[in-house]
Amino acid sequence: MHIRDGVVLGAEKPVLFAGPCAVESLDICLEIGSKVKAWAEDHGFSYVFKASFDKANRTSSGSFRSIGMDKSLEVLQRVGKELDVPLVTDIHESYQAAEVAEVVDVLQIPAFLCRQTDLLLAAGNTGKAVKIKRGQFMAPEDMQFAVKKVRSTGNENVCLTERGFSLGYHNLVVDMRGLPIMREFAPVVFDITHSVQQPGGQGGSSGGQREFAPFLARAAAATGIDGFFIETHPEPAKALSDGPNLIPLHRMGDFLHMLKESWELGRKYQDFAVQ
């Protein structure tokens, strides 16, 4: 999947999609983006800055959602220019695709919306890269149809993202078999952050178990996939969205070092098979 010159998902260099969960302010985005970009370069990742311009799927209507679409997109645009990095953000409605595509390089389809045909077609029609999260209710093999919807527009720049499946209430489990299965249809990214989320697990908001993030990250990296998605914040407890899942910013350098070592081992043995 071509993101922009020098940043290709599915090549010999892993791609890191990382940033805060939501656009909180320009200062926070620049602080996170500049530090993660430097660490990504140090550890051999291509880097794409991530932040959502709108959190339309919060558990409660009282939770933070956005600083506003126009203001958020302006922040993203400034981050992209000042840091010289590609950008990814979520879209939730088909009408948002064209406007958001004027600012970002990758349109992300949220897991809950991965079957929404009009949304997938609108994203594909922009010509920008499309990153589809696997729904918590979807079998890995069924994600091929989401990929085909995007490709039906003539846009081949599409990838899939794993983020766990629902097991009972407030719990997600990652089936590592899904990574090589989905990779038959498109490049695959592992969402480290939301795989340790506990949806709705704190009453009116979601909980999380970030202590398990390193274990899932290493396991996914060892399958030799193409990229990783991580949300981070300098003070997770004060983040306006998904605080319990976020990797503390000061740990990201060490986290990426660990992740790259596991990924290199996975790539070394990715063609090893047992029939």
Side-chain angles (χ1 to χ4, degrees):
M1 183 179 84
H2 181 267
I3 296 173
R4 81 176 195 191
D5 293 344
V7 183
V8 179
L9 185 68
E12 292 304 309
K13 190 175 183 179
V15 176
L16 174 68
F17 301 84
C21 180
V23 175
E24 298 182 5
S25 69
L26 176 61
D27 289 344
I28 285 288
C29 288
L30 286 175
E31 177 185 358
I32 294 172
S34 60
K35 290 181 179 179
V36 175
K37 178 186 178 183
W39 286 319
E41 291 175 349
D42 287 346
H43 296 293
F45 291 86
S46 295
Y47 178 50
V48 180
F49 178 82
K50 180 273 167 186
S52 297
F53 74 86
D54 179 24
K55 301 302 296 182
N57 56 354
R58 299 304 303 273
T59 303
S60 169
S61 61
S63 297
F64 170 81
R65 177 168 173 174
S66 174
I67 61 173
M69 182 173 181
D70 291 343
K71 189 173 181 180
S72 292
L73 291 179
E74 181 182 342
V75 168
L76 287 171
Q77 190 169 44
R78 287 191 60 181
V79 170
K81 288 183 177 180
E82 292 190 26
L83 300 184
D84 189 25
V85 293
L87 305 167
V88 59
T89 196
D90 307 85
I91 57 173
H92 298 86
E93 304 279 354
S94 55
Y95 75 83
Q96 297 171 338
E99 181 177 357
V100 176
E102 293 180 2
V103 175
V104 307
D105 304 271
V106 184
L107 298 173
Q108 181 166 272
I109 307 299
F112 292 127
L113 302 177
C114 69
R115 288 174 54 126
Q116 296 298 104
T117 301
D118 289 346
L119 184 62
L120 292 166
L121 295 180
N125 280 323
T126 67
K128 292 298 181 75
V130 181
K131 181 175 177 290
I132 311 170
K133 288 194 174 186
R134 184 184 68 78
Q136 300 92 322
F137 45 86
M138 293 285 288
E141 59 268 24
D142 291 342
M143 291 303 297
Q144 64 180 296
F145 302 109
V147 171
K148 289 177 179 177
K149 288 178 182 180
V150 173
R151 289 180 175 162
S152 73
T153 68
N155 187 345
E156 295 292 322
N157 275 333
V158 58
C159 72
L160 294 170
T161 299
E162 172 60 41
R163 50 101 13 107
F165 68 90
S166 296
L167 182 65
Y169 302 116
H170 305 153
N171 193 44
L172 296 172
V173 173
V174 178
D175 180 356
M176 293 296 169
R177 296 174 300 178
L179 299 175
I181 290 172
M182 291 195 298
R183 206 157 176 253
E184 295 177 14
F185 317 124
V188 169
V189 174
F190 182 62
D191 181 344
I192 296 167
T193 297
H194 295 98
S195 292
V196 296
Q197 187 185 58
Q198 294 175 311
Q202 292 185 344
S205 63
S206 293
Q209 297 175 304
R210 75 167 63 91
E211 66 269 24
F212 294 118
F215 300 98
L216 292 181
R218 290 197 298 268
T223 68
I225 53 172
D226 306 289
F228 303 91
F229 178 101
I230 308 174
E231 291 179 345
T232 181
H233 196 280
E235 296 183 88
K238 295 182 180 180
L240 299 181
S241 178
D242 269 353
N245 319 315
L246 305 183
I247 303 301
L249 182 60
H250 73 277
R251 296 304 312 277
M252 279 293 289
D254 292 336
F255 200 101
L256 293 181
H257 176 76
M258 172 198 71
L259 194 59
K260 185 64 182 306
E261 286 195 343
S262 298
W263 182 84
E264 289 175 343
L265 182 63
R267 277 298 172 105
K268 179 179 179 181
Y269 292 106
Q270 68 175 336
D271 294 326
F272 182 84
V274 177
Q275 301 293 334

